[in-house]
Amino acid sequence: MSSASTSSPLPRNILIVGSGGREHTLVKSCLASPAKPRVIAAPGNAGIAREVPVFPVAVDNIPGLVALAQREQIDFVIVGPEVPLSLGLVDALTAANIPAYGPKADGARLEASKIFTKQLLLKYGIPTAASGVFTEVAPALAYLKTRPIPIVVKADGLAAGKGVIVAQTLAEAEAAVHDMLAGNKFGSAGSQILVEDCLYGEETSILVVVSSRDYVILPTSQDHKRIGDGDTGPNTGGMGTYSPAEVVTPALLAQIENEIVLPSVNAIAAEGIDFRGTLFIGIMLTPSGPSVLEYNTRFGDPETQVVLPRLDTDVLALLWAAARGDLARVKPLVKIKPDYAICVVIAAKGYPDAYAKGDVIRIPATLPANVQIIHAGTAQNAAGEIVTAGGRVLGVTALAPSLRAAAYAAYATCEKIDCASKIYRRDIGAKQLHRQ
Ligand code: AMP
Ligand code: GLY
């Protein structure tokens, strides 16, 4: 897609909001645009800071981010995480006449309230698990006794990926209900809960660029949410991804589009929400068909790290068109590369619980041409060294003509990264490799 093909000229000054691997990938995609824009980030991380200027404004400082955009003469803001979206960053930018990619607070509610989403799914007949909504402990416990175990207990609000308990026993489910409703474990995010039947199957992440009633489905991917090999241990933000997820056959993708994507986009518009951003639909591929686990209203992390590099398209032009309401014209220009992509997340030992920060990371000086190191929780110390500063530290991504070759390249680089506290899963992509 050339810059000449969009009706309004591409932006020249871009601000990326966020500090993770997703945002580092967005920075790289914008820098790769033929439009050659100036890119800045807030607050960024050590890897982003090596590529573009970063500004220490926190993602929840809405007035600070608007002021930064005005001061730096930003003409397009791409918002990475859910927190600023749900706090109304895009509403505030729009009021200041600054175009932005990402939904306003009304659209961000689709991620910020699981109950709001469940009601929308039910109202529009979109497949999803049976559930009950509770604010009091006693009725929730009574409902648990009527449902099959395992069962899922979810805090309604944003809980940094920790508000979902897939309870294997009734006692575990009862404890989760108590923790959330009586123990205030997730604060106001857990003052209402959803108790949901457990779904079985493989999960897939479907990322959709939405602009009101127009949409573009991005390449399929699969995340690995548990910390341990073989999908064991607690849930994390995501320990690795690959794309395409071939479990989603062309026929299944068509079914997902007809039964889930199109009805979702239409439902959101019918509710009066002018959604312009990424609708990330978490889907369980159950034996009786695909079923919605959740909506997120932003790019996935680490899904973005494998999805964007597979686009043979100017990502900036795509996101700009969505923000400007011009997606229908750009949609036919979106092309996907045949290559396979993988991202192996390197985390700090202890994650997703407490972990050390400040461990020095040494990255090989030269990397194979098809491998990239994406920074997430990294910082620079006084000596100028890169150190760990978060639970998920780096993503090692590779692109190759086969998933096996991509995995081989990524893992060879993971081994060469020197960091005392590094941990990573050894089986990213294994489910698909074993099927081949
Ligand atoms: P969510 O934030 O709703 O996607 O939940 C996080 C993770 O919990 C999902 O990616 C699934 O692995 C798991 N999960 C959520 N809901 C269910 C469900 N109804 N059945 C089985 N697993 C679930
Ligand atoms: N990788 C899952 C997420 O971004 O929520």
PDB file of all heavy atoms in Angstrom, residues 411-429:
ATOM      1  N   TYR A 411      14.767 -19.890  18.958  1.00  0.00           N
ATOM      2  CA  TYR A 411      15.351 -20.566  20.127  1.00  0.00           C
ATOM      3  C   TYR A 411      16.870 -20.492  20.149  1.00  0.00           C
ATOM      4  O   TYR A 411      17.484 -20.405  21.210  1.00  0.00           O
ATOM      5  CB  TYR A 411      14.836 -22.007  20.229  1.00  0.00           C
ATOM      6  CG  TYR A 411      13.490 -22.056  20.915  1.00  0.00           C
ATOM      7  CD1 TYR A 411      12.335 -22.402  20.240  1.00  0.00           C
ATOM      8  CD2 TYR A 411      13.387 -21.705  22.260  1.00  0.00           C
ATOM      9  CE1 TYR A 411      11.103 -22.410  20.869  1.00  0.00           C
ATOM     10  CE2 TYR A 411      12.162 -21.713  22.906  1.00  0.00           C
ATOM     11  CZ  TYR A 411      11.025 -22.066  22.215  1.00  0.00           C
ATOM     12  OH  TYR A 411       9.814 -22.059  22.862  1.00  0.00           O
ATOM     13  N   ALA A 412      17.508 -20.513  18.978  1.00  0.00           N
ATOM     14  CA  ALA A 412      18.977 -20.388  18.950  1.00  0.00           C
ATOM     15  C   ALA A 412      19.388 -19.035  19.542  1.00  0.00           C
ATOM     16  O   ALA A 412      20.373 -18.937  20.286  1.00  0.00           O
ATOM     17  CB  ALA A 412      19.485 -20.528  17.509  1.00  0.00           C
ATOM     18  N   THR A 413      18.590 -17.999  19.265  1.00  0.00           N
ATOM     19  CA  THR A 413      18.905 -16.669  19.822  1.00  0.00           C
ATOM     20  C   THR A 413      18.566 -16.616  21.310  1.00  0.00           C
ATOM     21  O   THR A 413      19.321 -16.024  22.101  1.00  0.00           O
ATOM     22  CB  THR A 413      18.158 -15.574  19.030  1.00  0.00           C
ATOM     23  OG1 THR A 413      18.630 -15.611  17.682  1.00  0.00           O
ATOM     24  CG2 THR A 413      18.413 -14.200  19.607  1.00  0.00           C
ATOM     25  N   CYS A 414      17.452 -17.231  21.726  1.00  0.00           N
ATOM     26  CA  CYS A 414      17.112 -17.259  23.162  1.00  0.00           C
ATOM     27  C   CYS A 414      18.279 -17.811  23.989  1.00  0.00           C
ATOM     28  O   CYS A 414      18.608 -17.301  25.063  1.00  0.00           O
ATOM     29  CB  CYS A 414      15.890 -18.137  23.418  1.00  0.00           C
ATOM     30  SG  CYS A 414      14.350 -17.423  22.861  1.00  0.00           S
ATOM     31  N   GLU A 415      18.893 -18.873  23.466  1.00  0.00           N
ATOM     32  CA  GLU A 415      20.001 -19.491  24.202  1.00  0.00           C
ATOM     33  C   GLU A 415      21.179 -18.538  24.355  1.00  0.00           C
ATOM     34  O   GLU A 415      21.899 -18.580  25.338  1.00  0.00           O
ATOM     35  CB  GLU A 415      20.474 -20.757  23.471  1.00  0.00           C
ATOM     36  CG  GLU A 415      19.611 -21.956  23.782  1.00  0.00           C
ATOM     37  CD  GLU A 415      19.893 -23.117  22.834  1.00  0.00           C
ATOM     38  OE1 GLU A 415      21.051 -23.278  22.427  1.00  0.00           O
ATOM     39  OE2 GLU A 415      18.916 -23.826  22.501  1.00  0.00           O
ATOM     40  N   LYS A 416      21.369 -17.683  23.356  1.00  0.00           N
ATOM     41  CA  LYS A 416      22.544 -16.791  23.366  1.00  0.00           C
ATOM     42  C   LYS A 416      22.313 -15.527  24.183  1.00  0.00           C
ATOM     43  O   LYS A 416      23.240 -14.757  24.385  1.00  0.00           O
ATOM     44  CB  LYS A 416      22.889 -16.402  21.923  1.00  0.00           C
ATOM     45  CG  LYS A 416      23.457 -17.565  21.128  1.00  0.00           C
ATOM     46  CD  LYS A 416      24.018 -17.096  19.800  1.00  0.00           C
ATOM     47  CE  LYS A 416      24.289 -18.295  18.906  1.00  0.00           C
ATOM     48  NZ  LYS A 416      23.670 -18.146  17.586  1.00  0.00           N
ATOM     49  N   ILE A 417      21.092 -15.293  24.616  1.00  0.00           N
ATOM     50  CA  ILE A 417      20.838 -14.102  25.441  1.00  0.00           C
ATOM     51  C   ILE A 417      21.270 -14.430  26.859  1.00  0.00           C
ATOM     52  O   ILE A 417      20.867 -15.437  27.434  1.00  0.00           O
ATOM     53  CB  ILE A 417      19.357 -13.694  25.370  1.00  0.00           C
ATOM     54  CG1 ILE A 417      19.074 -13.155  23.960  1.00  0.00           C
ATOM     55  CG2 ILE A 417      19.026 -12.662  26.429  1.00  0.00           C
ATOM     56  CD1 ILE A 417      17.628 -12.900  23.678  1.00  0.00           C
ATOM     57  N   ASP A 418      22.118 -13.564  27.392  1.00  0.00           N
ATOM     58  CA  ASP A 418      22.722 -13.809  28.690  1.00  0.00           C
ATOM     59  C   ASP A 418      21.992 -12.968  29.738  1.00  0.00           C
ATOM     60  O   ASP A 418      22.014 -11.732  29.657  1.00  0.00           O
ATOM     61  CB  ASP A 418      24.212 -13.412  28.564  1.00  0.00           C
ATOM     62  CG  ASP A 418      24.965 -13.662  29.847  1.00  0.00           C
ATOM     63  OD1 ASP A 418      24.461 -14.408  30.696  1.00  0.00           O
ATOM     64  OD2 ASP A 418      26.056 -13.077  29.994  1.00  0.00           O
ATOM     65  N   CYS A 419      21.315 -13.630  30.674  1.00  0.00           N
ATOM     66  CA  CYS A 419      20.607 -12.907  31.741  1.00  0.00           C
ATOM     67  C   CYS A 419      20.367 -13.907  32.861  1.00  0.00           C
ATOM     68  O   CYS A 419      19.760 -14.964  32.630  1.00  0.00           O
ATOM     69  CB  CYS A 419      19.288 -12.345  31.223  1.00  0.00           C
ATOM     70  SG  CYS A 419      18.331 -11.542  32.511  1.00  0.00           S
ATOM     71  N   ALA A 420      20.850 -13.575  34.084  1.00  0.00           N
ATOM     72  CA  ALA A 420      20.826 -14.536  35.194  1.00  0.00           C
ATOM     73  C   ALA A 420      19.409 -15.024  35.484  1.00  0.00           C
ATOM     74  O   ALA A 420      19.214 -16.180  35.847  1.00  0.00           O
ATOM     75  CB  ALA A 420      21.431 -13.883  36.435  1.00  0.00           C
ATOM     76  N   SER A 421      18.420 -14.162  35.307  1.00  0.00           N
ATOM     77  CA  SER A 421      17.068 -14.546  35.742  1.00  0.00           C
ATOM     78  C   SER A 421      16.159 -14.941  34.585  1.00  0.00           C
ATOM     79  O   SER A 421      14.957 -15.014  34.754  1.00  0.00           O
ATOM     80  CB  SER A 421      16.441 -13.390  36.531  1.00  0.00           C
ATOM     81  OG  SER A 421      16.474 -12.204  35.767  1.00  0.00           O
ATOM     82  N   LYS A 422      16.722 -15.228  33.403  1.00  0.00           N
ATOM     83  CA  LYS A 422      15.836 -15.495  32.261  1.00  0.00           C
ATOM     84  C   LYS A 422      15.143 -16.858  32.370  1.00  0.00           C
ATOM     85  O   LYS A 422      15.747 -17.844  32.758  1.00  0.00           O
ATOM     86  CB  LYS A 422      16.605 -15.400  30.929  1.00  0.00           C
ATOM     87  CG  LYS A 422      17.454 -16.603  30.582  1.00  0.00           C
ATOM     88  CD  LYS A 422      18.033 -16.530  29.155  1.00  0.00           C
ATOM     89  CE  LYS A 422      18.944 -17.727  28.898  1.00  0.00           C
ATOM     90  NZ  LYS A 422      19.605 -17.713  27.599  1.00  0.00           N
ATOM     91  N   ILE A 423      13.866 -16.861  32.047  1.00  0.00           N
ATOM     92  CA  ILE A 423      13.139 -18.125  31.861  1.00  0.00           C
ATOM     93  C   ILE A 423      12.345 -17.998  30.567  1.00  0.00           C
ATOM     94  O   ILE A 423      11.971 -16.895  30.169  1.00  0.00           O
ATOM     95  CB  ILE A 423      12.172 -18.451  33.024  1.00  0.00           C
ATOM     96  CG1 ILE A 423      11.201 -17.277  33.283  1.00  0.00           C
ATOM     97  CG2 ILE A 423      12.910 -18.809  34.301  1.00  0.00           C
ATOM     98  CD1 ILE A 423       9.996 -17.669  34.120  1.00  0.00           C
ATOM     99  N   TYR A 424      12.108 -19.106  29.897  1.00  0.00           N
ATOM    100  CA  TYR A 424      11.215 -19.074  28.734  1.00  0.00           C
ATOM    101  C   TYR A 424      10.679 -20.468  28.483  1.00  0.00           C
ATOM    102  O   TYR A 424      11.291 -21.468  28.877  1.00  0.00           O
ATOM    103  CB  TYR A 424      11.913 -18.510  27.484  1.00  0.00           C
ATOM    104  CG  TYR A 424      13.213 -19.167  27.079  1.00  0.00           C
ATOM    105  CD1 TYR A 424      13.243 -20.204  26.134  1.00  0.00           C
ATOM    106  CD2 TYR A 424      14.428 -18.735  27.608  1.00  0.00           C
ATOM    107  CE1 TYR A 424      14.439 -20.780  25.743  1.00  0.00           C
ATOM    108  CE2 TYR A 424      15.631 -19.310  27.222  1.00  0.00           C
ATOM    109  CZ  TYR A 424      15.628 -20.331  26.292  1.00  0.00           C
ATOM    110  OH  TYR A 424      16.819 -20.909  25.911  1.00  0.00           O
ATOM    111  N   ARG A 425       9.518 -20.522  27.861  1.00  0.00           N
ATOM    112  CA  ARG A 425       8.948 -21.816  27.506  1.00  0.00           C
ATOM    113  C   ARG A 425       9.693 -22.395  26.321  1.00  0.00           C
ATOM    114  O   ARG A 425      10.098 -21.677  25.418  1.00  0.00           O
ATOM    115  CB  ARG A 425       7.442 -21.664  27.191  1.00  0.00           C
ATOM    116  CG  ARG A 425       6.607 -21.627  28.462  1.00  0.00           C
ATOM    117  CD  ARG A 425       5.127 -21.558  28.168  1.00  0.00           C
ATOM    118  NE  ARG A 425       4.635 -22.710  27.403  1.00  0.00           N
ATOM    119  CZ  ARG A 425       3.357 -23.049  27.323  1.00  0.00           C
ATOM    120  NH1 ARG A 425       2.436 -22.336  27.971  1.00  0.00           N
ATOM    121  NH2 ARG A 425       2.979 -24.088  26.608  1.00  0.00           N
ATOM    122  N   ARG A 426       9.858 -23.723  26.355  1.00  0.00           N
ATOM    123  CA  ARG A 426      10.597 -24.402  25.258  1.00  0.00           C
ATOM    124  C   ARG A 426       9.656 -24.950  24.198  1.00  0.00           C
ATOM    125  O   ARG A 426      10.122 -25.614  23.270  1.00  0.00           O
ATOM    126  CB  ARG A 426      11.421 -25.578  25.823  1.00  0.00           C
ATOM    127  CG  ARG A 426      12.210 -25.250  27.077  1.00  0.00           C
ATOM    128  CD  ARG A 426      13.457 -24.463  26.763  1.00  0.00           C
ATOM    129  NE  ARG A 426      13.897 -23.725  27.955  1.00  0.00           N
ATOM    130  CZ  ARG A 426      15.126 -23.298  28.167  1.00  0.00           C
ATOM    131  NH1 ARG A 426      16.063 -23.507  27.258  1.00  0.00           N
ATOM    132  NH2 ARG A 426      15.426 -22.624  29.249  1.00  0.00           N
ATOM    133  N   ASP A 427       8.363 -24.716  24.355  1.00  0.00           N
ATOM    134  CA  ASP A 427       7.415 -25.409  23.463  1.00  0.00           C
ATOM    135  C   ASP A 427       6.490 -24.456  22.701  1.00  0.00           C
ATOM    136  O   ASP A 427       5.377 -24.834  22.352  1.00  0.00           O
ATOM    137  CB  ASP A 427       6.583 -26.409  24.284  1.00  0.00           C
ATOM    138  CG  ASP A 427       5.719 -25.700  25.328  1.00  0.00           C
ATOM    139  OD1 ASP A 427       5.969 -24.511  25.619  1.00  0.00           O
ATOM    140  OD2 ASP A 427       4.780 -26.340  25.846  1.00  0.00           O
ATOM    141  N   ILE A 428       6.979 -23.233  22.454  1.00  0.00           N
ATOM    142  CA  ILE A 428       6.132 -22.309  21.679  1.00  0.00           C
ATOM    143  C   ILE A 428       5.991 -22.874  20.253  1.00  0.00           C
ATOM    144  O   ILE A 428       6.989 -23.201  19.610  1.00  0.00           O
ATOM    145  CB  ILE A 428       6.742 -20.883  21.652  1.00  0.00           C
ATOM    146  CG1 ILE A 428       6.983 -20.372  23.078  1.00  0.00           C
ATOM    147  CG2 ILE A 428       5.836 -19.925  20.854  1.00  0.00           C
ATOM    148  CD1 ILE A 428       5.773 -20.342  23.989  1.00  0.00           C
ATOM    149  N   GLY A 429       4.764 -23.020  19.820  1.00  0.00           N
ATOM    150  CA  GLY A 429       4.504 -23.569  18.481  1.00  0.00           C
ATOM    151  C   GLY A 429       4.450 -25.083  18.429  1.00  0.00           C
ATOM    152  O   GLY A 429       4.173 -25.654  17.376  1.00  0.00           O
TER     153      GLY A 429
END
